Amino acid sequence: ELKEEFTRILTANNPHAPQNIVRYSFKKGAYKPVGYVDQMAVHFSMNGNMIPKDSDEGRRQSIRSGSSAGRHNDFQIEKASVESSAVTSEEAEIKDEESTGDTKAAEEKETEEPGTTEAAETAEVEEPPPPKVKEQKLANQFNFIERASRTLNNPMRERACQSEPTPCKDFSDTVYQWKIYDAYMEELKEMEKSKEKEKPKAQVSKRQEEKKEKKKKKGRKLTSLEIQVSDDMNKISRAAKLMERMVNQNTFDDIAQDFKYFEDVSDEYRNQQGTLLPLWKFKYGKTKRLAVTAISWNPKYKDLFAAGYGSYDFMKQGEGMLVLYTMKNPSFPEYVFSSESGVMCLDFHNDHPNLMAVGFYDGTVAVYNLKKATSQPSYKSGAKTGKHTEPVWQVKWQKDDMDNNLNFFSVSSDGRIVSWTLVKNELVHTDVIKLSAKGTTMQGPEGLQLQTFGCGTSFDFHKKIDWLFLVGTEEGKIYKCSKCYSSQFLDVFEAHQMAVDSVSWNPYHLKVFISCSSDWTVKIWDHTIKTPMFVYDLKCAVGDVAWSPYSSTVFAAVTIDCKAHVFDLNINKYESLCNQLVVVRKKNKATHIQFNPVYPVVIVGDEHGHVTSLKLSPNLRKMPK
Amino acid sequence: AEVEETLKRIQTHKGVVATMVINAEGVPVRTTLDNSSTVQNASLLRPLTEKARSAVRDLDPENDLTFLRIKSKKNEIMIAPGKISIKTTAE
C-alpha cells in the first residue's frame, strides 16, 4: 500500500470553494443547483487612496500641489534642503495652505483671529511673493454666519396659589348578574304600572283580585302590591314562621326522617300483616278538654289538615274550636278559630282550598275563609236563616250552582238535609230532603198525626253521579237519595242495629260503599244489592271508617278502644292486616281517622284533643294491579 | 302580635339557645343574647348572608335565598333572611 502512487494535479480550481451550491427557485418551488461555482480566491486586498490623474479630483489636487510644488521647488533652491526639512516645510506649507484657506474663509466673516492672519501674513511674507493663485474659496452652502448676543437674565421668582381639593370619595361596587336582573325587573314593573294607570279603574281592581287569589295561603309574599307593612316586626312574620318550622324540624328530626324515608323492612316477614308507625302528635293547649270531632285534609296543601273540636257528650257542651295544623310544624297550629258551640264536622272546598264549611253542635253552619285574617266565620247561619235544630253531623261541598255560587249540603239530627248557597254575603238555605222515618207516625195531642223524622248522622255524595247520595241515620238505616226528589228515597238499606256513624263511597268502585256503626260492625255494600257484601265485626263500637285514596280495596277503621284496623280486601277478605293501638288508652277514645291523599300517612283524632299521625307500613300500601 | 308569639315560641323551644332579629343595616333589633355577643354575631353573619344570597342569585337571578344553616361541632346557627333576618343558635 505504501507503494501506491498518488497523482497530483494542478488545477485552477479553488479548493476552498464549495462544489455544489444550490439556490431556492421560487418559480419551481424547489432547490436548484447553481451551475457554475465561482472559483475565484482572493489572496490579498488593500484599499488604497490613489486617484487617477485625469479625473476631476485628480486635476484639482494637481493644481493645488502644482502651485505649492512651484514654491516648494524655489524653497528647495534657496534653502538648505534636507529631505526631511523639505518634507517638514512641505508639511508647513500644507499647513500654511490650510491656514490660508482658513483665513480666506475667515476674511469673509468679520471676526478676526489675529493670530492666524498674522501667521498667514508672515507666511506670505516669508514666501517669495509668487503670484497668488486664486484659490477656490471653500464656501458653505447656506452662507451661514453666526451672530449671537446675550440679554440680561431676569431673576426668576415663583408665585403659586393652591385651591382646596374637591372632596373625593371612593366608591366601589361589584356587579352581579342578579343586580342587572333586578334593574330590568324594576323597569318592567314601572312600565306595567304606568300602563295600568292608563286603563280604566275597573280593570285594575279585577287584576288585583286575581293577584290576591293567587296569593299563597301559608307564605305571605312581601310584594309591593299586597301587604302593607307598617311595623318593623311585621316584616319578619314570614321569616319567623320559616324559622319556627326549621327549629321544629331540628327537634323532631328523627320523626321527619322516618316520615320521609323509613320503610318497615320487617313487613316481608310478617305474612301480609302491616304496622302503623307513629309519627307526630299534634296538640294545642286550649283544646285539652275537647274531643276531636272531625278531621279533614286540605285538597291543595297536602300537609295541612283541619281538626274540629267539640264534645260528643250530650251533657257537657261547651265551646268549640277549629284548628289547622301542618305537618311542617308539629308543635303549634297554623290557624285557630274558636266558636261558641262545639264543632261537629268540617269540609274543605275542592276548588277553593281556603274555604271551609263547618257544622256545629247547636245546629248552625258556618263558612270560614282562611285567607281573611279574622277569626270569625265569613258566613254563618242563624235561627232566622234556617239553621238546624239539632247538631249538624256532616257537611259537604258541592259543585257550584248555575250562578257560580258556592254551595254545600248539611245533614242533621233534625231530619233535614239542607243545601246552603253562598249568595253575595249571605247563606241561603234550601231544604232538600226531610228524612221521614217510615211507620213512625204518632198520634199526637188533639188527634194530629205527627210525622217523626229520622235523624241523619252522616252522608256522602257519589263521586261521579252528581245527584246520588247516601244518608245514614240514627236508627241504623241508610237511605239512598237523589237531589231531585225531595220527599221520597230511591232506596233504603237496613244497615245496622245502631246509629250509622259514617258512610263513604269507594273512590274507585262506583257501586260500592262502606258504612260503620256503633253496633261493632263495618259493612261493605253494593248499592244495587240489599244485603251487604262484607261484614266485619270489630268487637267494639266503630267510630269512623275511611277508604284509602291509593287503592280501591284498602280501608281503615278506628274503634272506641283506641285501636286502628286496616283492611285490604285484595289480600285478606276476612281479617284486618293491622290491628294496632294508636292512641293512649287511658280514658280515651279514638274518634276519627283520615288518609292523607298523597303521603302514606293517616291521622287519628281522639277524645283528649290530640291528633296522632301514623305512617303506613309497606304491606298496607299495596296497590292493586 | 302574632309574630311576637311565634318568636317567643321559638325561643322557648327545646334546644334553642338564643334568638336575634337584625335589620337591614346590621343593627340588632331584638335579641335574647348579651350585647357584645349579639353585636359580634350580627357583624359576622350579615355579610355572610349577603354573600350567600349573592351566590344563589348569581347562578339564577330568579332564585332567592330562603334559608341558611351553619352546622358546627358545638352548635348550629340558623338564619332566615328577609328584609329583616332572624338568627337562631341551637345546641
Side-chain angles (χ1 to χ4, degrees):
Chain A
E1 286 131 48
L2 289 170
K3 291 186 185 161
E4 245 185 81
E5 285 193 0
F6 290 99
T7 354
R8 286 182 166 212
I9 309 171
L10 203 62
T11 57
N13 289 343
N14 182 0
H16 294 294
Q19 277 158 349
N20 45 356
I21 297 180
V22 286
R23 293 255 180 278
Y24 188 74
S25 152
F26 285 97
K27 185 174 163 191
K28 287 193 185 161
Y31 287 96
K32 190 178 73 175
V34 168
Y36 169 70
V37 178
D38 195 9
Q39 300 291 339
M40 189 178 87
V42 175
H43 292 285
F44 172 75
S45 75
M46 187 185 91
N47 290 332
N49 50 4
M50 298 183 22
I51 313 168
K53 256 201 273 181
D54 293 328
S55 73
D56 275 345
E57 187 56 41
R59 270 193 227 116
R60 261 186 254 141
Q61 278 198 11
S62 58
I63 292 168
R64 249 187 276 140
S65 59
S67 54
S68 65
R71 278 182 262 145
H72 170 64
N73 284 335
D74 291 341
F75 260 52
Q76 276 197 322
I77 297 167
E78 287 169 15
K79 283 186 180 173
S81 59
V82 181
E83 261 197 61
S84 56
S85 66
V87 172
T88 53
S89 59
E90 203 181 32
E91 282 179 337
E93 273 299 301
I94 295 171
K95 273 187 201 158
D96 288 340
E97 275 286 75
E98 285 175 358
S99 59
T100 330
D102 278 348
T103 49
K104 280 280 179 319
E107 263 175 17
E108 302 214 9
K109 311 164 202 167
E110 284 181 8
T111 49
E112 279 133 344
E113 282 178 58
T116 47
T117 46
E118 248 185 285
E121 275 172 17
T122 51
E124 277 181 3
V125 166
E126 272 184 11
E127 294 167 35
K132 256 194 212 162
V133 180
K134 282 260 168 160
E135 294 154 20
Q136 254 186 322
K137 261 191 268 177
L138 289 170
N140 61 37
Q141 271 175 292
F142 307 105
N143 276 346
F144 178 64
I145 304 170
E146 189 171 345
R147 193 188 224 173
S149 68
R150 205 170 152 136
T151 57
L152 267 177
N153 279 346
N154 288 329
M156 298 293 286
R157 195 159 291 171
E158 194 167 311
R159 200 183 219 174
C161 170
Q162 195 178 28
S163 67
E164 255 188 53
T166 51
C168 276
K169 192 178 167 193
D170 255 335
F171 178 73
S172 73
D173 198 6
T174 332
V175 177
Y176 298 102
Q177 193 187 5
W178 50 271
K179 282 198 181 164
I180 302 172
Y181 177 82
D182 275 348
Y184 275 107
M185 291 322 276
E186 283 234 8
E187 243 328 285
L188 260 177
K189 270 188 196 165
E190 294 291 315
M191 276 173 53
E192 273 182 21
K193 261 189 192 170
S194 56
K195 269 190 201 165
E196 273 188 24
K197 277 177 190 165
E198 287 172 10
K199 285 188 184 169
K201 272 191 179 178
Q203 281 194 326
V204 171
S205 60
K206 196 180 180 189
R207 202 177 294 151
Q208 279 188 344
E209 256 187 51
E210 281 174 53
K211 282 197 178 127
K212 276 186 189 160
E213 274 189 354
K214 284 181 204 163
K215 192 165 66 167
K216 271 192 201 162
K217 222 190 332 167
K218 283 177 294 178
R220 295 169 216 168
K221 287 195 178 164
L222 302 167
T223 56
S224 54
L225 283 172
E226 292 164 8
I227 304 173
Q228 287 125 0
V229 280
S230 49
D231 197 10
D232 233 10
M233 290 310 283
N234 277 343
K235 284 183 199 165
I236 59 167
S237 61
R238 191 161 157 262
K241 225 181 176 88
L242 191 57
M243 180 58 76
E244 195 187 355
R245 286 192 188 171
M246 293 307 285
V247 172
N248 269 312
Q249 191 187 58
N250 262 357
T251 329
F252 294 109
D253 188 42
D254 44 354
I255 299 181
Q257 299 284 344
D258 276 348
F259 161 69
K260 266 273 163 175
Y261 304 115
F262 180 73
E263 301 290 351
D264 199 349
V265 190
S266 62
D267 259 11
E268 291 174 50
Y269 309 111
R270 237 189 273 248
N271 225 17
Q272 310 293 354
Q273 299 270 318
T275 51
L276 294 168
L277 178 76
L279 297 174
W280 303 285
K281 199 164 182 182
F282 299 91
K283 48 184 176 245
Y284 182 45
K286 294 186 188 163
T287 62
K288 227 164 181 187
R289 291 159 292 121
L290 300 168
V292 172
T293 52
I295 38 178
S296 176
W297 290 97
N298 187 310
K300 185 170 175 202
Y301 297 106
K302 308 292 179 205
D303 56 281
L304 185 69
F305 66 90
Y309 290 85
S311 169
Y312 281 123
D313 199 333
F314 182 69
M315 303 307 285
K316 291 186 206 163
Q317 277 303 316
E319 307 176 324
M321 284 198 125
L322 181 62
V323 179
L324 278 92
Y325 292 100
T326 165
M327 295 204 294
K328 291 182 189 169
N329 185 348
S331 59
F332 200 75
E334 293 290 306
Y335 299 95
V336 176
F337 301 99
S338 64
S339 58
E340 298 114 20
S341 92
V343 172
M344 296 313 288
C345 56
L346 62 90
D347 189 32
F348 278 103
H349 196 284
N350 269 334
D351 300 325
H352 302 276
N354 54 312
L355 292 176
M356 286 199 306
V358 177
F360 294 97
Y361 199 87
D362 62 358
T364 47
V365 290
V367 176
Y368 285 88
N369 188 343
L370 291 171
K371 281 194 187 161
K372 302 220 173 119
T374 62
S375 66
Q376 287 307 304
S378 320
Y379 303 92
K380 199 167 177 171
S381 71
K384 282 184 285 178
T385 56
K387 74 178 183 83
H388 291 278
T389 49
E390 294 274 322
V392 178
W393 290 100
Q394 194 127 19
V395 285
K396 274 246 153 61
W397 284 100
Q398 294 303 304
K399 289 205 187 106
D400 288 356
D401 66 4
M402 284 176 290
D403 301 327
N404 280 344
N405 289 324
L406 307 162
N407 83 330
F408 63 94
F409 276 59
S410 64
V411 68
S412 148
S413 297
D414 65 355
R416 279 164 49 222
I417 296 179
V418 179
S419 153
W420 304 85
T421 320
L422 274 69
V423 177
K424 287 185 197 175
N425 287 332
E426 296 179 333
L427 219 49
V428 174
H429 86 284
T430 331
D431 271 10
V432 174
I433 286 193
K434 288 208 169 78
L435 301 166
S436 58
K438 278 189 184 155
T440 52
T441 52
M442 292 189 337
Q443 288 284 350
E446 296 168 351
L448 278 171
Q449 290 228 329
L450 287 173
Q451 182 109 77
T452 49
F453 296 111
C455 312
T457 49
S458 64
F459 71 164
D460 191 20
F461 285 82
H462 197 275
K463 306 281 183 293
K464 296 279 157 82
I465 307 173
D466 220 11
W467 41 263
L468 183 64
F469 65 96
L470 297 163
V471 184
T473 62
E474 227 173 271
E475 293 81 40
K477 295 199 179 83
I478 298 181
Y479 297 108
K480 191 163 75 171
C481 314
S482 153
K483 280 190 208 174
C484 317
Y485 299 108
S486 63
S487 54
Q488 272 202 342
F489 314 121
L490 295 174
D491 211 348
V492 180
F493 298 92
E494 301 287 341
H496 292 275
Q497 260 64 44
M498 292 183 70
V500 177
D501 280 323
S502 173
V503 285
S504 174
W505 288 99
N506 187 316
Y508 297 98
H509 277 294
L510 300 172
K511 285 186 175 181
V512 174
F513 67 90
I514 194 170
S515 69
C516 76
S517 151
S518 315
D519 69 352
W520 299 6
T521 57
V522 172
K523 296 189 183 176
I524 301 184
W525 311 75
D526 178 329
H527 75 98
T528 51
I529 304 172
K530 284 276 186 166
T531 49
M533 294 196 293
F534 292 99
V535 178
Y536 296 97
D537 187 352
L538 296 175
K539 299 182 182 52
C540 187
V542 183
D544 194 8
V545 73
W547 287 105
S548 75
Y550 49 85
S551 161
S552 64
T553 51
V554 176
F555 65 92
V558 275
T559 56
I560 300 258
D561 61 355
C562 312
K563 282 202 186 155
H565 305 257
V566 181
F567 291 82
D568 189 342
L569 298 170
N570 215 7
I571 294 173
N572 190 334
K573 288 197 181 121
Y574 304 106
E575 280 184 354
S576 63
L577 291 187
C578 168
N579 187 340
Q580 188 173 321
L581 202 66
V582 289
V583 176
V584 173
R585 244 258 175 92
K586 211 175 167 188
K587 279 208 252 176
N588 205 351
K589 298 179 201 171
T591 48
H592 283 277
I593 185 169
Q594 280 287 322
F595 279 87
N596 183 312
V598 174
Y599 305 112
V601 166
V602 285
I603 37 173
V604 178
D606 65 10
E607 261 203 350
H608 280 178
H610 298 161
V611 178
T612 321
S613 55
L614 303 133
K615 186 168 181 185
L616 298 159
S617 70
N619 263 353
L620 303 172
R621 275 189 262 148
K622 292 204 180 135
M623 309 275 271
K625 283 163 206 161
Chain B
E2 214 187 273
V3 174
E4 302 269 349
E5 263 195 44
T6 314
L7 281 181
K8 216 192 305 176
R9 278 204 307 274
I10 296 176
Q11 179 54 35
T12 52
H13 204 91
K14 188 175 64 168
V16 172
V17 171
T19 316
M20 277 178 277
V21 180
I22 301 174
N23 76 350
E25 278 89 44
V27 176
V29 168
R30 178 173 294 237
T31 171
T32 58
L33 204 55
D34 60 271
N35 206 10
S36 54
S37 308
T38 307
V39 170
Q40 191 183 26
N41 268 309
S43 63
L44 290 169
L45 293 172
R46 182 96 207 149
L48 179 67
T49 329
E50 283 309 309
K51 199 76 187 173
R53 177 187 264 131
S54 163
V56 166
R57 291 204 77 198
D58 230 359
L59 291 169
D60 177 10
E62 297 191 9
N63 210 347
D64 199 6
L65 186 67
T66 45
F67 204 79
L68 189 62
R69 245 200 205 187
I70 303 168
K71 223 174 158 71
S72 72
K73 273 195 225 167
K74 292 190 186 170
N75 51 13
E76 180 173 352
I77 302 176
M78 295 200 269
I79 306 176
K83 293 210 167 124
I84 289 189
S85 312
I86 301 186
K87 303 187 210 294
T88 318
T89 327
E91 285 299 321

